[in-house]
Amino acid sequence: MVVSTATPVRPMYARPSHAWMGLSPGLDFESRLFFKPEAARLLEQELSKPRYVCKRIHIGGNTDPYQPIERELNSTRSILEVMRRFHHPFSIITKSVLITRDADILGPMGKAGLASACVSITTLDRGLARAMEPRASTPARRLEAIARLADTGCPVTVGFAPVIPGLNDHELESVLEVASKAGATSAMYVTLRLPLEIKDLFREWLADARPDRAARVMSLIRQTRGGKDYDADWSRRMKGTGPVAELIAARFKAAVKRYVLDAPRVPLDESQFRVPADMKKQMDLFDLPSGEAEAA
């Protein structure tokens, strides 16, 4: 695993991963990236194993797969190429317009029922977007990504995430409306989560970026978390509880219906998975008795 000093674009919830690795979830998170240069090769080996059972793979669940340095590394691109070769179903989520670079993979695989994409839009306000996600694609560029992917035939979900009560929740309907017009066919949302080191970092950011709203925002967040900064219960942590969370859920449900973002989600097709012939030959070498692989 190699450390890079490229400027990152990552969701706040990814910061604890840096702390787990002994790095600062603040400064180190902002300046040091990890990537796996052998990821594609290792993925090929894993998918080629006789006992491997095909299940949808989600890309981008902990951090954005389209960091700025991806333009040079092509790590995500190489993984998607493996998925295409194996006809392996996958979903991917990002805040970056760089995903459109891989539309030649996402489009055909999306049409074949093998891929889906989610583009997260936190706000349509350029000023707020710049403050919250200074290195991510602008809201307009993310809408462009939705449109371009939809044009290729890849199903696109818009993610209004995170919903921050008192800061961006008033934009829920407008974000879903413009995303629908751009070509999104479904939507999701996540209420802001503040686990572990995140709560202190968020409070510091909020006091600096929006001091006039800081107290109210934190009060509303706590109202969705049973009076605490965060509730880690698996069944409640993504949406929250209480009147504030219930109002957000009701508004989301109504907006999804109004903007026709409630199309049934068709499961990705796992039956098309197959190991390419050349990979079967390579893996056969590992099954030979000791000494025979070299001779082969």
Side-chain angles (χ1 to χ4, degrees):
M1 189 172 286
V2 179
V3 177
S4 168
T5 54
T7 304
V9 175
R10 284 175 287 177
M12 185 171 281
Y13 61 75
R15 290 178 184 267
S17 296
H18 263 52
W20 184 80
M21 287 183 255
L23 298 172
S24 162
L27 181 60
D28 285 337
F29 177 84
E30 297 293 338
S31 60
R32 306 181 72 184
L33 290 173
F34 290 85
F35 77 95
K36 297 179 179 180
E38 297 295 319
R41 182 181 63 81
L42 294 173
L43 179 61
E44 282 188 332
Q45 290 185 1
E46 184 66 26
L47 300 186
S48 299
K49 291 180 178 179
R51 294 184 180 180
Y52 176 76
V53 178
C54 177
K55 296 293 182 183
R56 174 179 67 95
I57 291 177
H58 181 59
I59 301 171
N62 185 56
T63 191
D64 201 302
Y66 287 101
Q67 304 296 322
I69 200 171
E70 167 63 16
R71 292 183 175 87
E72 305 168 27
L73 298 176
N74 287 307
S75 294
T76 298
R77 171 79 187 189
S78 66
I79 290 171
L80 298 192
E81 288 172 343
V82 171
M83 307 300 266
R84 177 171 59 183
R85 287 187 63 215
F86 283 74
H87 293 252
H88 197 297
F90 71 92
S91 55
I92 188 166
I93 184 170
T94 185
K95 295 175 182 284
S96 176
V97 72
L98 184 56
I99 190 175
T100 59
R101 177 202 64 184
D102 298 328
D104 61 314
I105 296 176
L106 288 159
M109 291 191 72
K111 288 180 180 178
L114 290 169
S116 64
C118 179
V119 177
S120 176
I121 300 178
T122 316
T123 178
L124 299 176
D125 182 332
R126 282 290 300 271
L128 182 57
R130 198 159 43 241
M132 284 199 297
E133 302 162 332
R135 289 167 290 278
S137 297
T138 65
R141 292 284 277 164
R142 298 188 211 182
L143 288 169
E144 177 187 329
I146 290 175
R148 291 175 62 183
L149 290 173
D151 284 345
T152 66
C154 180
V156 186
T157 295
V158 57
F160 185 54
V163 180
I164 307 175
L167 190 61
N168 73 340
D169 59 314
H170 64 284
E171 296 189 71
L172 188 154
E173 289 83 2
S174 55
V175 167
L176 266 56
E177 180 180 11
V178 295
S180 176
K181 291 178 179 177
T185 56
S186 60
M188 55 79 73
Y189 79 95
V190 177
T191 304
L192 179 69
R193 301 189 294 120
L194 297 175
L196 304 173
E197 299 85 1
I198 307 271
K199 59 180 182 298
D200 293 331
L201 289 166
F202 178 77
R203 280 199 295 256
E204 291 175 10
W205 172 85
L206 189 61
D208 180 62
R210 293 292 188 274
D212 57 323
R213 301 189 191 182
R216 173 168 171 73
V217 169
M218 287 307 304
S219 173
L220 290 170
I221 289 173
R222 293 188 186 105
Q223 289 179 50
T224 70
R225 303 296 178 184
K228 301 179 290 184
D229 286 348
Y230 183 55
D231 179 0
D233 183 271
W234 183 262
S235 64
R236 301 190 296 263
R237 65 183 190 141
M238 302 305 285
K239 300 293 191 291
T241 58
V244 173
E246 290 169 4
L247 178 58
I248 292 171
R251 289 173 53 202
F252 178 81
K253 182 178 180 180
V256 161
K257 184 175 181 179
R258 183 183 314 142
Y259 301 119
V260 198
L261 290 166
D262 55 354
R265 294 192 184 184
V266 179
L268 297 180
D269 187 359
E270 298 168 355
S271 68
Q272 297 184 49
F273 172 77
R274 66 169 182 264
V275 178
D278 60 325
M279 286 305 301
K280 288 181 179 178
K281 292 177 181 178
Q282 291 181 39
M283 294 306 295
D284 285 346
L285 295 177
F286 293 97
D287 296 329
L288 292 173
S290 177
E292 290 188 30
E294 184 175 348

